[in-house]
Amino acid sequence: MTEKLKSLLKSVQSVCVLTGAGISAESGVPTFRGEGGLWSRLKPEELANFDAFMKNPENVWAWYQHRKEIMHSVQPNAAHKALAEMEKIIPDFTLITQNIDNLHYRAGSKNVLELHGNIERSYCIKCGKYYSDVQITKEKPIPYCECSGIIRPDVVWFGENLPIDVFDKAVEATRRCELLLSIGTSAVVYPAAGLPLQAKEHGSYVVEINVEYTELSPYVNETIIGRAGEVVPALLEIMKEERQ
Ligand code: OAD
């Protein structure tokens, strides 16, 4: 970590954070890419797009049910908790996540921009009604709405647009922040991956935290190689200095 970043952390008033699957890896949630990643053994085109869902909703629901069970069995880690603390001490703090695992809320973050949805929510594709407690069973492997429409998970699939109001807020935040932290993302899925670049264009200092270099690395001000669960709490400690 450079001296420049240390001194910025002590004084910064406007911070934006973009998180990806890597922040939840230490909690035990599998990432998508890389060794052991979900997309190395499963096909996104069979599980994470609307046509696949309409062709075989049972299969897609079974996969989301499985992931939901994993997510319920894990706990937020030190990185999620440190970000919830940062929200309390930084006057203008925006947490943007690509994750659907709900772990930021469970760690105590209040204001989270969920770009790719949330696995706990679902909605009817016919009438749009939202559900928060859809249960899948062997007898009822596909959930239906009271209007008879199929209910789908409220997650963004390949080929679908991000929720526009959420994305707009994310863009605004990246344009005004002084510091952007990109944590645990391979930075290959757009438009989310473009947010750190936008921040940089608007004069923000951009720092990446990852266990390895990524496609974003050549464009950031600093890459800190390390585990999110160790690096993010360390950044928080520096931020807290001189703010008491
Ligand atoms: P990826 O699986 O593509 O990338 C995870 C990143 O986390 C990699 O760069 C790892 O090196 C890094 N990583 C792993 N463990 C880490 C740790 N302990 N600390 C820090 N970094 C660590 O996940 P995303 O970038 O989130 O989209 O993927 C983006 C999108 O692709 C997802 O939101 C999902 C997927 O398809 C949708 O579902 C729409």
Side-chain angles (χ1 to χ4, degrees):
M1 188 185 320
T2 62
E3 287 306 316
K4 168 145 194 198
L5 176 58
K6 280 187 193 158
S7 91
L8 182 58
L9 287 169
K10 288 177 195 168
S11 65
V12 71
Q13 300 290 312
S14 176
V15 176
C16 208
V17 177
L18 173 69
T19 64
I23 195 166
S24 299
E26 288 160 72
S27 291
V29 181
T31 60
F32 294 95
R33 295 172 186 80
E35 213 180 304
L38 292 171
W39 294 156
S40 65
R41 53 194 170 83
L42 298 168
K43 291 189 180 140
E45 59 276 19
E46 283 174 14
L47 292 163
N49 78 73
F50 187 72
D51 288 346
F53 178 70
M54 291 314 283
K55 240 185 251 162
N56 195 342
E58 192 170 331
N59 188 35
V60 174
W61 263 114
W63 190 58
Y64 277 94
Q65 183 65 17
H66 168 68
R67 287 177 66 198
K68 215 188 216 180
E69 281 161 16
I70 295 176
M71 289 166 192
H72 287 175
S73 72
V74 304
Q75 298 301 325
N77 63 49
H80 297 107
K81 289 179 192 163
L83 293 178
E85 285 300 304
M86 274 184 204
E87 183 174 353
K88 292 183 193 153
I89 62 170
I90 302 294
D92 178 23
F93 183 84
T94 307
L95 175 52
I96 307 165
T97 189
Q98 299 166 85
N99 300 344
I100 60 169
D101 59 23
N102 211 32
L103 287 174
H104 286 304
Y105 280 121
R106 286 177 58 200
S109 286
K110 298 270 180 278
N111 220 338
V112 188
L113 297 178
E114 295 177 315
L115 294 180
H116 293 164
N118 186 311
I119 198 159
E120 301 299 337
R121 285 191 312 261
S122 315
Y123 65 91
C124 169
I125 61 170
K126 198 162 150 203
C127 73
K129 182 175 173 184
Y130 276 90
Y131 289 83
S132 60
D133 55 355
V134 165
Q135 301 294 335
I136 302 300
T137 58
K138 259 194 196 143
E139 296 73 38
K140 267 183 73 182
I142 304 168
Y144 285 94
C145 181
E146 54 209 20
C147 80
S148 83
I150 292 192
I151 298 173
R152 62 166 279 178
D154 185 12
V155 297
V156 176
W157 285 327
F158 287 100
E160 294 184 327
N161 291 328
L162 271 51
I164 188 72
D165 49 331
V166 179
F167 188 66
D168 282 351
K169 281 187 192 157
V171 169
E172 268 172 41
T174 54
R175 287 184 179 164
R176 64 171 191 267
C177 66
E178 293 164 72
L179 171 68
L180 182 138
L181 306 174
S182 174
I183 308 172
T185 175
S186 58
V188 291
V189 175
Y190 281 80
L195 292 171
L197 304 174
Q198 287 218 20
K200 183 113 185 292
E201 262 172 35
H202 283 79
S204 171
Y205 196 76
V206 177
V207 178
E208 173 182 49
I209 297 146
N210 202 302
V211 288
E212 61 186 27
Y213 290 98
T214 70
E215 297 200 7
L216 183 66
S217 305
Y219 307 101
V220 301
N221 297 94
E222 277 183 46
T223 296
I224 301 177
I225 295 290
R227 287 150 62 99
E230 286 156 20
V231 178
V232 184
L235 299 183
L236 172 67
E237 283 313 306
I238 300 170
M239 270 180 181
K240 279 158 95 177
E241 283 172 26
E242 295 171 32
R243 281 184 206 256
Q244 316 297 359

